[in-house]
Amino acid sequence: MSYFNCHGCSLCLLSCPMWQQQRDVQYSPQGLFKALQHNASHDDIAPALFSCLLCGTCDILCPENIDITETIKTLRKEAFAHGIEAELNKKIVSLLAQPSSELKIEENTIILPGKALRTKPMRLTKIQSLLSSVADTALSLDDGDDIALALETGIEISEHRLHNFLEPLRAAKRLYVSNGHLLKSLRQWLPASELLALGHSLSLLSELTKELNHNDLYLIEARSFHLDHKQKITHYDQLRHQQGCHMNLDLQRNAIPIAAGGLNAIKPMLDSKEQARWILSGHNIQRIIVECAEDEVVMSQVSDLPILHIADLMEA
Ligand code: SF4
Ligand code: SF4
């Protein structure tokens, strides 16, 4: 379904972070699509187009089944082709041009932890050990952060860069990926491998989740949650009922994103601290537990409560 099928029901506004922050329908899929139906130019829609977090909340709400996040990526690509956001385009293209790591065949199970988690080597070692119960687990040499940014903006990735990124991963039977957006594409590129969200995989380990309690706010990583919403909602509902913890779920059981990583990290269009305050509001809690390391940084800027990564529950 294309944006021409948008009938303006407004359901996509319910949990859209752009709408929540701007309170202006232009900053929503509905606003974008209605503008395009009335011949708005890429220039007209650029502020909203580049504010979108690609969190995927709207994808699961749209009754017309419009693939909203894919549509936004295509529109960004077209906007770049019109010379809009030229500096941003240049920056991502230059990141893609940087030499990638040497090719090396790795283990059966590989983790792509992302930049933020790599700053905590002890935590990373703990995660490796937690996920190594069946097979040895290696860290990828390359997180593909530049590729994830290119995917968010529709920028073309050269065959050479993609080859260097994917080749060391091809032998792996299972990959744990922290970036929910990259995970979506890796499932297409590596169909023979089992591709799992890192945070969600840790949330399946009872030795960690038994430590959660009713004073905790547990922050689900929004992008990977919305990617597999039907399967994951049952798991998180059970976890919430068993442990009594709070979660960043709204009334429609969509995960409210913090806006800490991805494109918004290199070109902030939405205020991640405001997102964090929105998530915290109404919760009477004593600890914050995060699946995503980027979220930890933002939460620490708006809250004095202890903040733990889910892997840290091992020693809590
Ligand atoms: S992906 Fe998220 S930020 Fe973007 S339009 Fe949809 S709900 Fe809003
Ligand atoms: S939910 Fe879908 S059909 Fe409804 S306004 Fe949003 S994009 Fe349009």
Side-chain angles (χ1 to χ4, degrees):
M1 291 288 178
S2 87
Y3 59 75
F4 287 107
N5 295 89
C6 171
H7 58 260
C9 67
S10 302
L11 283 176
C12 54
L13 268 64
L14 290 174
S15 303
C16 175
M18 290 198 292
W19 157 250
Q20 282 289 336
Q21 291 206 5
Q22 303 287 350
R23 299 290 164 156
D24 178 341
V25 75
Q26 289 181 56
Y27 288 83
S28 71
Q30 177 185 348
L32 277 172
F33 298 166
K34 284 289 158 197
L36 289 166
Q37 286 173 8
H38 291 88
N39 299 322
S41 69
H42 287 82
D43 246 333
D44 296 330
I45 61 167
L49 201 51
F50 288 93
S51 296
C52 169
L53 300 177
L54 296 180
C55 64
T57 312
C58 50
D59 282 336
I60 57 179
L61 288 168
C62 179
E64 293 290 353
N65 288 326
I66 301 170
D67 192 337
I68 297 172
T69 48
E70 284 304 316
T71 306
I72 285 174
K73 281 156 50 179
T74 304
L75 290 167
R76 284 177 175 174
K77 184 177 182 176
E78 290 169 7
F80 281 146
H82 283 87
I84 298 162
E85 291 288 355
E87 280 307 306
L88 178 64
N89 187 357
K90 216 163 103 185
K91 186 167 182 178
I92 299 172
V93 169
S94 72
L95 289 173
L96 279 167
Q98 285 170 19
S100 27
S101 52
E102 231 172 87
L103 290 179
K104 183 179 162 216
I105 302 300
E106 301 183 61
E107 305 282 347
N108 270 341
T109 305
I110 299 176
I111 302 175
L112 280 76
K115 202 155 91 184
L117 207 45
R118 283 192 194 268
T119 63
K120 308 262 181 181
M122 282 172 65
R123 181 186 288 164
L124 207 40
T125 306
K126 198 188 304 173
I127 291 172
Q128 266 186 280
S129 122
L130 281 163
L131 297 175
S132 294
S133 52
V134 182
D136 280 348
T137 301
L139 294 180
S140 169
L141 300 173
D142 180 352
D143 284 318
D145 291 332
D146 54 338
I147 289 178
L149 281 172
L151 289 168
E152 283 196 43
T153 45
I155 288 176
E156 199 173 329
I157 305 159
S158 73
E159 274 184 36
H160 174 71
R161 174 67 188 107
L162 203 53
H163 172 83
N164 275 10
F165 176 53
L166 294 180
E167 210 51 37
L169 308 178
R170 286 196 192 283
K173 292 197 173 84
R174 175 180 292 178
L175 292 107
Y176 295 100
V177 185
S178 69
N179 184 315
H181 198 63
L182 191 58
L183 176 65
K184 185 176 176 185
S185 292
L186 278 167
R187 283 182 177 164
Q188 290 162 5
W189 293 330
L190 304 171
S193 305
E194 186 182 17
L195 271 300
L196 301 169
L198 179 59
H200 172 255
S201 300
L202 292 170
S203 81
L204 292 168
L205 302 177
S206 58
E207 62 263 51
L208 299 179
T209 55
K210 71 181 172 54
E211 303 296 336
L212 289 169
N213 63 58
H214 67 282
N215 291 320
D216 289 335
L217 171 64
Y218 183 89
L219 295 181
I220 303 166
E221 198 282 297
R223 283 173 163 188
S224 55
F225 173 74
H226 296 132
L227 189 58
D228 303 313
H229 186 251
K230 282 192 183 137
Q231 296 87 358
K232 285 179 181 161
I233 190 65
T234 311
H235 160 66
Y236 285 109
D237 266 353
Q238 280 172 354
L239 188 57
R240 189 160 52 143
H241 288 128
Q242 276 165 12
Q243 302 306 126
C245 55
H246 303 236
M247 286 184 175
N248 57 329
L249 295 175
D250 66 9
L251 290 176
Q252 294 77 36
R253 287 140 92 220
N254 302 306
I256 303 169
I258 293 196
L263 187 64
N264 203 52
I266 64 161
K267 183 177 175 57
M269 297 288 280
L270 294 191
D271 183 352
S272 49
K273 287 196 250 180
E274 193 176 323
Q275 286 296 111
R277 287 190 201 100
W278 174 24
I279 291 168
L280 286 168
S281 64
H283 293 291
N284 184 12
I285 49 160
Q286 290 177 5
R287 281 194 316 184
I288 298 167
I289 315 297
V290 300
E291 283 187 353
C292 170
E294 281 93 349
D295 292 352
E296 184 179 7
V297 179
V298 178
M299 276 292 163
S300 68
Q301 292 166 355
V302 300
S303 171
D304 294 329
L305 293 171
I307 303 166
L308 302 179
H309 187 270
I310 179 171
D312 300 337
L313 288 175
M314 261 311 248
E315 59 190 13

